[in-house]
Amino acid sequence: MLLAWVCNAFFNTFGGDNFWAQPQVTGSEAKEYFYNEIIGMSTLGPDLRPTRLVGKNVGYSFLTWAIIYLCVAFGLKWTGRITYFTMGLPVVLVFVFLGRALSLSGSQEGVDDYIRNSNWEVLTERPEVWSKATSQVFFSLSVTFGIMTAYGSHCKRSEPVFINSCVVAVSDALFSFVAGFAVFATLGHLVFIEDLENIAQLEYSSFGLVFGSWPVTLGTLPGGEHWIRLLFVMLFFLGIDSAFSFVEGFLTVLADTKAFHDVDRKKTSFVLAVAAFLLSLLYATDAGLIFLDTIDFYINFVMLLVGGFECFSAGWVYNIEDLIENLGAAIVFAHMGTFFGAVIFACGLWFGLSDADAALWAGFMGLVGFYVLGMAFVQAHLMNQRMKAYPGRWTWKSMTYELMFKNITDLRSDLSAVVGYLPFTWALLVKFFIPPVILILFGLSCDAENANGQKVFGHYQGYVTSPYQVLGILCVAFTAFLFLSSLFVPQMYGALERPVANEPKVTSSVHASLHDVQGKSDEMGSMGSSGIKLEAGQTDEKVFGRTTNEAEFVPIEVA
């Protein structure tokens, strides 16, 4: 819906009563105009419950989803070509806007606030900002949404994952850092023209930060209204990338299932676009911003949950059957309970005691004490019993390594054989660092309080319980349901199983490896990595039964 609001603001600049063309528009006026006229919040009552659909925003939402459909319906290559433009132009424009912002009066004070006068005390006074920042990074990098998984599935199997991950993360951080200079330079200029003492007095946040600052600054340029239009184009391009990335994640998952594997991509894209448009009508009401703000807050919990589940699966569940077979279920689950039980016990002390200083030290002592006692029980009792049951097979050292490091080093080795180098540090972080940290961040989010002393979870921004808090909590509950149901009732998701790929038919008594068969591609025709003959014009993009075209794979028969 944010894209629909941007479209509304963009086309509004062409009207006879163009607000942005008025001289000396202040940031406060621009912010109020965006809220009341573009979003349509002027009709809201004291309880902020929705009262109407905003017709223009319904239409612009339909336009937005029609564009998203055209971006994704014709395949990943078409989407990639679009992305070169929708990402390239905004990067150029950010530097253009940065140059203009730095040339304005008061910009230096804004930059000083950004770099020199940052309020670092907020990291300890309001520790929940750590979880908010983590969720924002997750969103910015498109992790925990299945987007990176979807795009990664279309890469060559031998792509250097570690290098690519570093490039993506560093590039994202640098772009955000540079954009921060442009934003704070603009805010510094607004402080100057409104004769305020500091940026804190502007009271800008969320969408008001963008729509209350940038249009005002760009309006000072010659032909300012055209620059403002260019700003809205840039915002639309940045948003549309994120939107069709979400859709691509859905499309990839569906294409990898038995139920939807043979369904034409255009049809699937159309159904998803229509469904998304219908859901967007909630945000097309005059309370759309309230709905969006609430859902965004609770989605932070969802992202932390998903990120924690993913790392837990990789670090603790991978090859757990082998661990149980070698060490016994008692040792494996006692170690798991000790590790996570220590973190949960510490969180109970950190967030349960009223004295902050006492809670800090009690939490750390509880963490260490719980883990030491738990591991003493595992090693002194359970491991000792295992070694007695299998004399000569185990030592303390070999059993400890098997328990703590074997599965995650196996995962690292299995992945490295395909995607290249992965540092050992990555394995340690995935198992021993990221899951407990995410658990603590989730606890910080749940423990955060508002100005009235109420828990923010369930009372976010003081919005009424129904529909806002109920809808947000349902988002978190639904995520937990999906995880737990897939864990305990996996047959519920039978329709999402991968299709069985065609296997090459071998009728020869000659024992030739797949590698050997592929090496004879000149004799047998063009071969893909799956060992299946490809007809003319086909591409080797078969991953779990998915292909990038609709051509039929023909099994090879080795005579």
Side-chain angles (χ1 to χ4, degrees), residues 217-271:
T217 300
L218 296 175
T220 64
L221 288 168
E225 60 186 277
H226 302 300
W227 283 99
I228 293 172
R229 290 166 184 157
L230 199 58
L231 167 68
F232 294 144
V233 170
M234 181 191 76
L235 294 176
F236 185 83
F237 281 171
L238 288 174
I240 203 73
D241 285 329
S242 297
F244 62 61
S245 293
F246 280 108
V247 176
E248 185 61 46
F250 275 100
L251 290 173
T252 300
V253 170
L254 293 177
D256 285 346
T257 63
K258 291 190 297 186
F260 296 94
H261 174 60
D262 296 323
V263 178
D264 183 70
R265 181 185 176 96
K266 296 182 181 65
K267 294 180 181 178
T268 311
S269 302
F270 179 78
V271 172

Side-chain angles (χ1 to χ4, degrees), residues 50 193 201 268 281 300 309 348 408 438 467 551-552:
I193 63 177
Q201 292 181 308
T268 311
L281 296 179
N300 291 339
F309 291 153
I408 195 63
I438 288 181
E552 180 183 0

Side-chain angles (χ1 to χ4, degrees), residues 145 279 282-283 287-303 460-461 463 467-476:
F145 288 105
L279 291 174
L282 179 70
Y283 305 105
L289 180 61
I290 311 300
F291 279 114
L292 184 61
D293 187 33
T294 305
I295 296 299
D296 179 68
F297 169 76
Y298 285 100
I299 285 296
N300 291 339
F301 290 89
V302 172
M303 287 190 289
Y460 177 66
Q461 293 287 50
Y463 298 144
Y468 302 117
Q469 310 298 341
V470 171
L471 192 60
I473 293 173
L474 284 176
C475 290
V476 181

Side-chain angles (χ1 to χ4, degrees), residues 17 49 74 206 308 432 442 521:
D17 55 346
R49 285 190 170 94
F74 299 97
S206 185
F432 296 110
F442 187 81
S521 59

Side-chain angles (χ1 to χ4, degrees), residues 471-489:
L471 192 60
I473 293 173
L474 284 176
C475 290
V476 181
F478 182 64
T479 303
F481 166 76
L482 290 178
F483 173 76
L484 294 175
S485 61
S486 65
L487 187 64
F488 296 107
V489 196

Side-chain angles (χ1 to χ4, degrees), residues 156-162 314-315 318 407-423 426-427 430:
K156 296 179 180 178
R157 287 175 59 83
S158 58
E159 281 290 309
V161 170
F162 176 67
Y318 185 79
N407 74 311
I408 195 63
T409 54
D410 285 347
L411 175 61
R412 173 176 174 260
S413 298
D414 293 344
L415 291 176
S416 296
V418 178
V419 301
Y421 171 73
L422 286 174
W426 169 83
V430 165

Side-chain angles (χ1 to χ4, degrees), residues 394-412:
W394 296 105
T395 64
W396 291 109
K397 182 178 180 180
S398 64
M399 189 172 284
T400 301
Y401 175 82
E402 180 86 13
L403 177 64
M404 300 185 69
F405 302 107
K406 183 63 166 61
N407 74 311
I408 195 63
T409 54
D410 285 347
L411 175 61
R412 173 176 174 260

